[in-house]
């Protein structure tokens, strides 16, 4: 049974870097052909795709967030990490990690972690 679990601080100050980790159990993040995504949902709004890191280490992110986003992985610990720099209150959201078998949509989600950006 594959499970994803987000972790990280629930409160970040404006201008700082938000750092979240998704720990994966029950499957390897290096297995062909899975993509591992970060998605967020601001209060009262819809889901917003942030980016992904693929089974081969390739990463990509939303053009609107790309300049502030870094997604990396730690294969030895089977984790992948999101870093979002220069945060503002508009980055307040519930952040999710999710798995996508190539071309088949998200099939497994983490429970989500709420992050508030506030001084």
């Amino acid at each position: 049974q594959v499970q994803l679990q987000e972790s990280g601080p629930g409160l970040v100050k404006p201008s700082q870097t938000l750092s979240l980790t998704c720990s994966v159990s029950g499957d390897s993040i290096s297995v062909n052909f899975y993509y591992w995504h970060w998605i967020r949902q601001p209060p009262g709004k819809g889901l917003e795709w942030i980016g992904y890191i693929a089974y081969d280490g390739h990463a990509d992110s939303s053009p609107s967030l790309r300049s502030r986003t870094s997604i990396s992985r730690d294969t030895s610990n089977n984790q992948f990490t999101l870093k979002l720099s220069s945060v503002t209150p508009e980055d307040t959201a519930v952040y999710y990690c999710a798995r996508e078998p190539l071309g088949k949509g998200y099939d497994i989600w983490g429970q989500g972690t709420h992050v508030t950006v506030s001084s």
Side-chain angles (χ1 to χ4, degrees):
Q1 180 181 359
V2 180
Q3 293 184 320
L4 282 64
Q5 178 67 58
E6 305 90 349
S7 62
L11 179 64
V12 183
K13 295 185 185 303
S15 80
Q16 292 187 341
T17 295
L18 180 163
S19 182
L20 297 175
T21 295
C22 183
S23 299
V24 180
S25 60
D27 198 5
S28 168
I29 62 173
S30 300
V31 169
N32 297 342
F33 294 96
Y34 289 113
Y35 289 71
W36 305 90
H37 294 260
W38 287 102
I39 300 151
R40 69 182 182 180
Q41 185 168 29
K45 298 184 179 180
L47 294 171
E48 179 183 19
W49 176 70
I50 300 171
Y52 72 80
I53 189 160
Y55 59 96
D56 61 358
H58 174 75
D60 196 10
S61 54
S62 169
S64 65
L65 297 170
R66 189 168 292 150
S67 64
R68 301 193 290 128
T69 300
S70 174
I71 299 176
S72 60
R73 66 178 185 169
D74 178 355
T75 55
S76 61
N77 287 308
N78 216 39
Q79 298 174 330
F80 60 105
T81 298
L82 167 69
K83 292 188 185 295
L84 185 66
S85 64
S86 304
V87 297
T88 72
E90 285 67 42
D91 294 308
T92 294
V94 178
Y95 286 75
Y96 299 92
C97 54
R99 186 183 80 167
E100 178 208 0
L102 178 59
K104 298 184 178 180
Y106 309 121
D107 65 343
I108 299 174
W109 292 71
Q111 66 182 23
T113 186
H114 193 278
V115 178
T116 299
V117 179
S118 174
S119 55

